[in-house]
Amino acid sequence: MGVQNRSGKYFKFLIYAVIVVLINIVGITLFVRKDLTENKIYSLSDVSKEVVSTLTEPLTIKVFFTKNLPAPHNNTERYLRDLLTEYALHANKFFNYQFYDVSPETEGLGPSAKENQELANSYGIYPIQIQALEEDEVKFKVAYMGLVIIHGDIVEKIPTMTTIEGLEYDLTTAIQKVNNKISSLLGLSENIQVRLYMSSSLKTVAPLIGLDELADLPENVKDIVAKLNSKNYGRLEYKFIDSATDEEQAEASQRYNIMALKWPDLGDGKVSAGQGIIGLVMTFKEKVASLPILRVFRVPVIGTQYQLSKAEEIEEMVNGQVESLLDINERFAYLGGNGTLALTASMPSMGQDQEAVARFTEMVKKTYSPKVFMIDKDPVPEDAQCIVLARPTEPFSDYELFQIDQALMRGQNIAIFLEPFKEVRMPQVNAMGFEQQTVNHEPLDTGLEKLLAHYGVSIKRSIIMDEQCFNQPLPQRMGGGERPIYFAPIVKQDNINNVLPFMNNIKELIVFKASPVKLDKERIRENGLNATTLLSSSEKSWEMKPPIRLNPQVNRPPGPDAQRESQDIACLIEGEFPSYFAGKSIPEKPAAEKDDNAGDKGDGDAADKDKEAVTSPTEDIVGEGMILEKGKPAKLFITGCSAFIKDDLLNGGERTPNAMFTMNMLDFMNGRGGIAVMRSKTQKINPLEESAVFTKTAVKIFNIAGLPALVVLFGLAVWTRRHMKKRSIQRMFDTN
């Protein structure tokens, strides 16, 4: 009997052991985890899942990350491993990834690690220097922290990953980019032309200016293009052009903006006076891109220096221009002219304020291909889902307003950064006799105002001032401390509408010289539209009406009896907009802008008599449906703050709340709401919710007196319980 019991126990133990092993095996292949973070930082977004689950060709991610890095870089590696595991779980059979050991020599570099370093370098992934705190000392280490994405013959790299912020966004957009690039290259009807313009006369002067390698440049560029051709399906076609004559040089220099050099007799007559051009030009259909491969800079004392771009720099420039020429990114239309902010250096500058929007341009070009158009000459691009009007300052004709109105009727979304004032700088002599500049704010009337009023929205002629604002630190020579800048309100979470997904993770941002947006709720309701306020100032804000004097030294809050209320800063209107031109005739294009196809008009009275005697047959033709009187569903974003796209508010980089708001809004208007949500999952600024004064006082009292009182009460409760238990036992054994 004992033997049977003993064997039964052994049998049960064996079954339990097998079950435990099977559970562990299942746990290795099938695991479940719960992301408890508020913004689901450690979970894949829906757009990421869709991207990797719809791959049609093999995609491989090669990660080169040094092991055993100090914090916080070890956390980045761990997060990257978890992220790629999540990608693999939701991807199809075409997705693969692999980590390569690239440990530095100081940690015992093996043969495979050496090969992996060479492999990383071949992809353009190089080590960087990081700080590490070891044994109470700050030391510097060299580490690899990059990856490459290989999709077909296309290679996209992320050379450094020093933080987990935006890592999923960078990966997903990079995967989308290479996928779009393959589709574009395979569908090309003609090759991309790569032409090196270089005058042979430059070879004689090259040694004197430190360019001994100039003679080898044509062959070097040829090799670079051949290398890139292997990764671009052979779609690059190289040609070297020796511009020998002055006419050829002048034509190429003017046409493609190529650098031209001119020199007198040099080297005691050994080098005769001459001139030449040098530049790399890429063309595809009507698109042209000029690549400056010779840099000229001045060094104090030494003088002018000349430097050719390195091979890897030329390779990167050519590869980047391929993407630009093919328009592989999403497109949006950007209005040029009418005094708008210049998006790029190539935009016409006539009548435009050259305020800096370089950071906005840099950010949008990573995922978009902006199409700049002049509305007085070009039709509104119909293939653009969103049109951006950035602070126009010059009037629109009715013909131009008609183009904007009809674009909205076609269902194209419009984002307008409109300001009611134009800053005019005027020189003025102060009391000390020194000349200084004063800024006058002159009222603007571009014509857009009547169009927007018809839709139910307007920009008030005032500036929002707010006690909840940015405080400017003052230098010690001015007494130190801080000075409030009332015309730079800080918009906190209570005044940010987080209902829309693309706004959900925006917690706090700053605006600058913003004008209030006024919604005509009655007109909006009559038009059958929906209006949403996205941003507003605090209840401590007020309006500065003309004359506008924005001077922090003299600006003061109004008295206690003055009216203060929250002001709308940015709004979104959605629905089927009614046309402003419904029931009206189509506006004529201004005479100065009409095509000169009518021939010679003649002069004087003869032309007038001919005009009266001859009636154009087109006047008898009546067109129907030429004006869209009721639009398709569309979105209109309107704000009275153009600083949202200026460098002043975007100087903190892409991860700042201001940058995220601007880019998320652009994504939302372009139908990429999922990308916007993914971008703002992580935040640099994540402030605590504001508490009332009573709540703060109550929490403080509880911490000081409440917690000790609870401890005392708990002790009394324990003592009372023990005492009662003791009395109960005594009564139980009481013999009396």
Side-chain angles (χ1 to χ4, degrees):
M1 189 72 178
V3 175
Q4 291 181 352
N5 289 337
R6 196 178 301 113
S7 62
K9 292 179 179 179
Y10 290 150
F11 182 71
K12 288 182 179 179
F13 175 77
L14 182 62
I15 292 176
Y16 293 153
V18 171
I19 292 174
V20 170
V21 172
L22 291 175
I23 291 175
N24 278 275
I25 293 174
V26 171
I28 293 174
T29 56
L30 298 175
F31 66 94
V32 177
R33 66 177 184 177
K34 181 68 174 177
D35 188 351
L36 300 179
T37 57
E38 181 181 3
N39 298 334
K40 303 301 179 185
I41 296 174
Y42 298 98
S43 299
L44 276 190
S45 304
D46 292 337
V47 65
S48 297
K49 296 175 184 177
E50 181 182 358
V51 166
V52 295
S53 64
T54 56
L55 294 173
T56 57
E57 290 190 27
L59 183 141
T60 302
I61 297 179
K62 296 184 178 182
V63 184
F64 303 96
F65 220 103
T66 302
K67 293 182 177 180
N68 302 321
L69 291 178
H73 304 295
N74 56 349
N75 183 49
T76 303
E77 180 191 12
R78 185 162 50 249
Y79 174 78
L80 181 60
R81 288 183 181 273
D82 293 342
L83 185 63
L84 291 176
T85 302
E86 287 280 337
Y87 275 107
L89 286 174
H90 296 91
N92 57 23
K93 63 180 181 179
F94 295 113
F95 181 84
N96 299 282
Y97 73 92
Q98 183 177 355
F99 278 77
Y100 289 82
D101 181 17
V102 284
S103 301
E105 296 182 7
T106 55
E107 298 182 8
L109 185 67
S112 61
K114 180 68 174 178
E115 294 175 1
N116 293 339
Q117 284 191 359
E118 294 176 355
L119 179 63
N121 295 341
S122 69
Y123 286 120
I125 306 294
Y126 299 100
I128 62 172
Q129 193 176 64
I130 61 172
Q131 284 187 356
L133 184 62
E134 296 180 0
E135 299 176 354
D136 297 330
E137 293 182 3
V138 176
K139 298 182 179 180
F140 293 94
K141 300 183 66 174
V142 174
Y144 284 85
M145 292 186 290
L147 62 80
V148 293
I149 302 171
I150 305 172
H151 192 34
D153 292 335
I154 306 297
V155 177
E156 182 75 16
K157 65 181 178 180
I158 302 179
T160 55
M161 298 173 292
T162 57
T163 176
I164 68 172
E165 289 184 1
L167 192 51
E168 181 194 353
Y169 173 81
D170 292 339
L171 267 176
T172 300
T173 52
I175 293 172
Q176 280 184 322
K177 188 176 182 179
V178 295
N179 196 22
N180 293 342
K181 192 172 182 179
I182 285 181
S183 301
S184 298
L185 286 171
L186 292 177
L188 290 184
S189 57
E190 59 184 79
N191 290 338
I192 299 172
Q193 304 294 322
V194 182
R195 300 171 185 168
L196 174 63
Y197 287 85
M198 191 180 84
S199 303
S200 56
S201 57
L202 290 174
K203 296 178 182 179
T204 60
V205 76
L208 299 178
I209 58 176
L211 298 178
D212 295 327
E213 68 276 20
L214 186 67
D216 301 327
L217 184 62
E219 285 300 317
N220 292 339
V221 174
K222 182 179 180 180
D223 294 339
I224 291 171
V225 173
K227 178 182 177 183
L228 289 174
N229 249 334
S230 64
K231 303 175 182 178
N232 288 278
Y233 297 91
R235 293 300 189 178
L236 303 180
E237 189 173 320
Y238 172 72
K239 185 177 181 180
F240 169 57
I241 300 175
D242 181 2
S243 301
T245 66
D246 294 345
E247 292 76 11
E248 292 175 344
Q249 294 174 13
E251 181 185 358
S253 179
Q254 185 176 6
R255 183 177 181 184
Y256 299 120
N257 194 25
I258 296 175
M259 180 178 291
L261 300 178
K262 191 174 183 179
W263 60 91
D265 291 335
L266 300 172
D268 297 329
K270 295 180 180 179
V271 177
S272 302
Q275 61 183 21
I277 62 171
I278 179 172
L280 195 61
V281 177
M282 297 179 63
T283 60
F284 177 67
K285 295 183 178 179
E286 73 281 358
K287 298 180 181 178
V288 179
S290 298
L291 283 64
I293 57 175
L294 177 63
R295 294 192 292 269
V296 181
F297 51 93
R298 297 184 182 276
V299 180
V301 181
I302 297 176
T304 305
Q305 299 289 302
Y306 299 87
Q307 185 178 27
L308 278 175
S309 298
K310 298 179 181 178
E312 56 268 19
E313 293 174 340
I314 297 176
E315 180 180 339
E316 192 163 340
M317 285 192 294
V318 172
N319 196 45
Q321 286 299 332
V322 169
E323 299 168 1
S324 178
L325 292 172
L326 294 181
D327 279 343
I328 64 173
N329 295 326
E330 298 285 340
R331 300 187 68 187
F332 75 88
Y334 189 93
L335 175 66
N338 293 87
T340 56
L341 295 169
L343 183 63
T344 63
S346 61
M347 281 181 59
S349 58
M350 184 177 295
Q352 287 188 312
D353 187 351
Q354 299 298 315
E355 291 190 60
V357 291
R359 291 186 178 91
F360 174 72
T361 304
E362 181 183 350
M363 288 191 298
V364 299
K365 284 193 172 182
K366 289 185 177 181
T367 51
Y368 289 98
S369 295
K371 170 68 174 178
V372 179
F373 70 101
M374 310 294 289
I375 198 167
D376 59 339
K377 301 175 183 177
D378 309 320
V380 177
E382 296 191 19
D383 58 345
Q385 192 167 352
C386 175
I387 303 165
V388 177
L389 282 66
R391 202 221 54 191
T393 58
E394 296 178 1
F396 290 85
S397 66
D398 284 346
Y399 171 80
E400 294 165 351
L401 294 176
F402 177 72
Q403 305 303 316
I404 297 172
D405 175 89
Q406 292 299 286
L408 195 61
M409 296 306 107
R410 291 193 296 268
Q412 293 178 274
N413 304 322
I414 299 180
I416 302 178
F417 300 84
L418 189 64
E419 293 185 1
F421 302 105
K422 181 178 182 179
E423 293 186 0
V424 179
R425 300 185 180 275
M426 304 289 292
Q428 188 178 24
V429 180
N430 60 18
M432 302 294 293
F434 296 104
E435 185 176 303
Q436 62 182 16
Q437 293 228 339
T438 60
V439 179
N440 293 336
H441 292 76
E442 298 182 355
L444 273 176
D445 188 0
T446 64
L448 278 173
E449 293 79 8
K450 60 184 180 182
L451 202 66
L452 295 174
H454 174 75
Y455 303 144
V457 62
S458 61
I459 303 294
K460 300 173 71 174
R461 294 188 184 278
S462 60
I463 300 293
I464 298 175
M465 311 288 280
D466 199 336
E467 285 194 49
Q468 183 177 283
C469 62
F470 172 75
N471 289 303
Q472 178 188 27
L474 295 176
Q476 289 299 324
R477 60 183 177 81
M478 297 181 65
E482 294 180 334
R483 178 171 61 191
I485 309 298
Y486 296 117
F487 50 87
I490 292 178
V491 183
K492 297 191 175 181
Q493 191 165 2
D494 292 343
N495 300 104
I496 298 176
N497 190 336
N498 297 126
V499 175
L500 293 173
F502 81 92
M503 295 285 296
N504 190 37
N505 296 325
I506 308 296
K507 304 297 178 66
E508 181 178 302
L509 45 76
I510 186 172
V511 298
F512 187 67
K513 292 195 289 189
S515 297
V517 179
K518 183 180 179 182
L519 294 174
D520 187 342
K521 297 182 179 179
E522 183 65 28
R523 173 60 66 90
I524 291 173
R525 185 165 50 251
E526 291 176 359
N527 291 337
L529 304 172
N530 295 318
T532 305
T533 298
L534 302 179
L535 304 173
S536 57
S537 61
S538 75
E539 298 292 339
K540 300 178 181 179
S541 63
W542 68 97
E543 294 181 59
M544 176 183 281
K545 297 181 180 179
I548 304 298
R549 295 288 183 268
L550 301 179
N551 187 343
Q553 296 180 352
V554 299
N555 291 151
R556 295 290 184 270
D561 298 332
Q563 182 180 4
R564 299 197 190 194
E565 61 181 351
S566 177
Q567 302 286 343
D568 293 345
I569 297 173
C571 296
L572 179 71
I573 305 177
E574 301 175 89
E576 299 177 356
F577 289 80
S579 174
Y580 173 78
F581 293 91
K584 304 176 183 178
S585 58
I586 298 177
E588 290 187 2
K589 194 172 184 179
E593 305 297 335
K594 288 182 179 180
D595 297 329
D596 298 330
N597 56 3
D600 188 7
K601 303 279 186 187
D603 58 349
D605 297 335
D608 295 335
K609 291 179 181 178
D610 290 341
K611 184 176 179 181
E612 293 175 2
V614 180
T615 303
S616 172
T618 58
E619 295 181 5
D620 297 327
I621 301 176
V622 179
E624 295 183 359
M626 296 176 67
I627 295 180
L628 299 175
E629 298 188 353
K630 187 72 173 177
K632 299 178 181 178
K635 305 182 185 72
L636 174 65
F637 169 84
I638 178 72
T639 181
C641 178
S642 65
F644 278 126
I645 64 172
K646 294 180 183 178
D647 290 354
D648 294 336
L649 294 188
L650 299 178
N651 59 4
E654 298 181 35
R655 310 307 306 171
T656 60
N658 273 77
M660 286 189 180
F661 168 75
T662 301
M663 292 305 300
N664 282 7
M665 180 276 299
L666 195 59
D667 284 335
F668 176 73
M669 300 292 281
N670 278 280
R672 304 172 74 223
I675 294 290
V677 173
M678 179 175 59
R679 177 190 289 107
S680 54
K681 284 171 67 172
T682 57
Q683 286 286 330
K684 278 188 174 181
I685 298 178
N686 199 9
L688 297 174
E689 294 184 5
E690 288 287 332
S691 301
V693 176
F694 174 79
T695 304
K696 294 178 181 178
T697 304
V699 171
K700 188 183 297 184
I701 293 174
F702 177 77
N703 288 334
I704 296 173
L707 289 177
L710 284 178
V711 173
V712 171
L713 291 174
F714 180 76
L716 288 174
V718 172
W719 179 84
T720 302
R721 183 174 177 274
R722 289 180 178 177
H723 183 71
M724 293 179 64
K725 186 176 182 181
K726 181 179 179 181
R727 296 289 299 272
S728 176
I729 294 174
Q730 287 178 348
R731 286 195 298 269
M732 188 181 300
F733 292 96
D734 192 357
T735 54
N736 297 327

